[in-house]
Amino acid sequence: MPESFAPPARTLMGPGPSPVSPDVLAALARPTIGHLDPAFVDLMDETKGLLQETFLTQNRLTMPVSGPGTAGMEACVDNLVEPGTTVVVCRNGVFGDRLRQMVERAGGVAVVVDAEWGRAVPPETLADALVEHPEAEVVAFVHAETSTGALSDAETLARIARDHGCLVVADTVTSLGGVPVRVDDWGLDAVYSGTQKCLAAPPGLSPVTFSDRALERMDARETPVQSWFLDVSLVARYWNADGAKRAYHHTAPVNMIYALHEALRRLQGEGLEAAWARHRRMHRALAAGLDALGLAFVVPEAERLPQLNAVWIPDGVDDAATRRRLLDEHGLEIGGGLGDLAGRAWRIGLMGEGARPGPVLACLGALEAVLDRSGGVEAAEPLLDAVAA
Amino acid sequence: MPESFAPPARTLMGPGPSPVSPDVLAALARPTIGHLDPAFVDLMDETKGLLQETFLTQNRLTMPVSGPGTAGMEACVDNLVEPGTTVVVCRNGVFGDRLRQMVERAGGVAVVVDAEWGRAVPPETLADALVEHPEAEVVAFVHAETSTGALSDAETLARIARDHGCLVVADTVTSLGGVPVRVDDWGLDAVYSGTQKCLAAPPGLSPVTFSDRALERMDARETPVQSWFLDVSLVARYWNADGAKRAYHHTAPVNMIYALHEALRRLQGEGLEAAWARHRRMHRALAAGLDALGLAFVVPEAERLPQLNAVWIPDGVDDAATRRRLLDEHGLEIGGGLGDLAGRAWRIGLMGEGARPGPVLACLGALEAVLDRSGGVEAAEPLLDAVAA
């Protein structure tokens, strides 16, 4: 019989999950109640409202999908794509390629716009692809590529897509809560995120939001959505209905929704603008420290995501052994590279509760010790002075 | 800004979620660590071992799907069904029909064996269907129909299916942990369950197990699994791999796995046989009490699921108003009817921590008060005497 699990002490500065605050963990552990209990239904409504405020949208259909970000991604693709639908997919990292795979599994035709890994998607390449493919009905892109730390210009990409009459699918898994995401202003139609990044809740849910244009497209489908679990027209009868019309679809992950509700309350309490500014400030301090340690960023400064810092692994440094020492000797988790960057880069997250002075200094101090270099903490400290812990 | 959520006190005796013990809630709230952390990988291995013991299987591919039971159902269907695959689906309630819908959305041909709601699936009807449909490759049935409380003879249904060369998909969402489920002895090939019933963990995960025969069929597929999120060949690289070969697929719901691990430890600590016996004893006590209150069971005694007791709503009793009073005045949740039984039956769960003398008596006492009847508690008490709380 295994022992009860006691997790080791960790500072989570990888690509997610990010550290979860004691308040959110306490909410997670409140007694489970029924998923159709009137008190839980009220909580669902509040959670929906908090998600609307976080996505900056009035979309009626805004809710957490009962699965990780990958499930939210599949919900957005599967509900908008029918066999034969042409989707232009921008690919500048692992998650763009995942979008392509999902489009193809849904029977769609994926037109891939390839961009360099570690760079934003150049808007002109999307515009060119749409001129070349007037049959395209949907454009999909990753706002913040978790595999490289590159931030694309979602507003411009979305405008180009809409100018060509396309619906817009946007991956905001790593961006939401950390940098501006303006669903309504930018005209995004199907947007998914994750709870375990800048929203600072445990992993397991995927907030999504669908515009009325997306709902019209779903209503006009000629074929059923291939997934019953992720069929938004069915899920909406549970999440988007009033009173007696609310219909059972599946048993909601009750305690995870307690945690998400609490994490969203905290975020709104701080204010979205303040949270974005905090992620930027912590990034500037971390970047100064990494620079002093001689660690070079993968992504050019103007395209860099504050909350995910990909740096090249220095020559002669063993990737796995170094990360293992950071974990074992300093309790620090940073991420390895993914896809093309595996073994070549590290990914240092500054997400949610990780974007605080304490974790920034702990991370730089641990890197100094393990890489036997100095000056990182010293370079970062002055930039943290003005910031509350 | 909404308040932090404080769930009302509830005794959960509906069709799930069931009550979650303080130990499991405490495990749920332990600090989140990374999903690739060596300590978490060890926890995954232990959880897999505990699930094998719970499913009574040696299947290498045994793991929790990162979504509710509905996601586990879809994982089983989507991985075994290709376009054109004929699947005989036994339907004696809501969940059998959900299986049919998923088979059809996966491009399969569903041959439905209809059985009366509130009854077990008659094995001879399955045998007849398989004679009539020699092209069938898969048989799917619900072991314990959560919508009616009927328990089918999974062992016999599986034997008939295998005699006809079919793979067997079995829904054990409500059965696992409450009545015997012997995956290897019975020759079940793709089995899914849920955490929020007799496993006594919060809702949100779906334990699944696949036989080597099922894996061979997946390896021989001519088309990709339509869901990327639920493609078991991809998920297995994360859950079923050793050391450096372990590959990222999605971010596991870390805290939910803490809770499942703790709940499975508790179940193994009690012993599966003891847990099954406890559910039977609690059922006998509850049934005696319901009988004394004049509430008649939907399901004949021999086909009755101890942990889900469907009773006819007495004439002249208002369904919704009565359940609302039970909730508001007694903090008691029981379930309404689903599908054909909506408005006609109640479903009283005795699952996991709900299958204890305290909840049984609380339920009967509340029903006495709200229905203005008597004798229920008195009839049940003698049957509870010998049982530890």
Side-chain angles (χ1 to χ4, degrees), chain B residues 158-172:
Chain B
R159 191 172 55 239
I160 292 168
R162 297 191 72 148
D163 285 349
H164 286 80
C166 288
L167 290 180
V168 181
V169 173
D171 177 322
T172 67

Side-chain angles (χ1 to χ4, degrees), chain A residues 1-10 12 16-20 25-40 43 46 50 53 66-68 70-71 74 78 94-95 98 101-102 105-106 196-197 201-204 224-231 234 248-256 258 261-262 264-270 324 327-328 333 338, chain B residues 1-10 12 16-20 25-40 43 46 50 53 66-68 70-71 74 78 94-95 98 101-102 105-106 196-197 201-204 224-231 234 248-256 258 261-262 264-270 324 327-328 333 338:
Chain A
M1 169 77 71
E3 298 283 306
S4 192
F5 182 64
R10 297 291 190 228
L12 297 180
S18 64
V20 179
L25 291 173
L28 181 63
R30 292 191 180 123
T32 308
I33 64 172
H35 63 289
L36 296 169
D37 191 303
F40 186 71
L43 180 73
E46 288 185 5
L50 287 163
E53 291 175 49
S66 300
T70 298
E74 198 153 288
D78 278 12
V94 166
F95 294 94
R98 185 171 294 188
Q101 294 178 55
M102 287 184 184
R105 288 187 188 220
Q196 79 282 11
K197 313 267 187 181
V225 175
Q226 62 181 11
S227 171
W228 195 95
F229 169 51
L230 298 173
D231 184 336
L234 301 178
Y248 164 70
H249 175 261
H250 66 271
T251 302
V254 171
N255 292 69
M256 283 295 301
Y258 296 173
H261 179 265
E262 187 67 21
L264 294 172
R265 283 183 70 251
R266 284 172 60 87
L267 181 59
Q268 294 298 332
E270 177 179 17
R324 189 69 201 231
L327 202 62
D328 289 346
E333 175 173 285
L338 210 54
Chain B
M1 169 76 69
E3 298 283 308
S4 193
F5 182 64
R10 296 292 190 231
L12 298 181
S18 64
V20 179
L25 292 173
L28 181 63
R30 293 196 180 120
T32 307
I33 63 171
H35 63 289
L36 296 168
D37 192 303
F40 185 70
L43 181 73
E46 287 185 7
L50 287 162
E53 292 176 47
S66 301
T70 298
E74 198 154 286
D78 278 14
V94 166
F95 294 94
R98 184 170 295 189
Q101 293 179 57
M102 286 186 185
R105 289 187 187 220
Q196 79 281 11
K197 312 269 184 177
V225 174
Q226 64 182 7
S227 170
W228 195 95
F229 170 51
L230 298 173
D231 183 336
L234 301 179
Y248 163 70
H249 176 263
H250 66 273
T251 302
V254 170
N255 292 70
M256 283 296 300
Y258 296 173
H261 179 265
E262 187 67 21
L264 293 173
R265 284 183 69 249
R266 285 172 60 87
L267 182 58
Q268 293 299 332
E270 176 179 18
R324 188 69 201 229
L327 202 63
D328 290 346
E333 174 174 285
L338 210 54

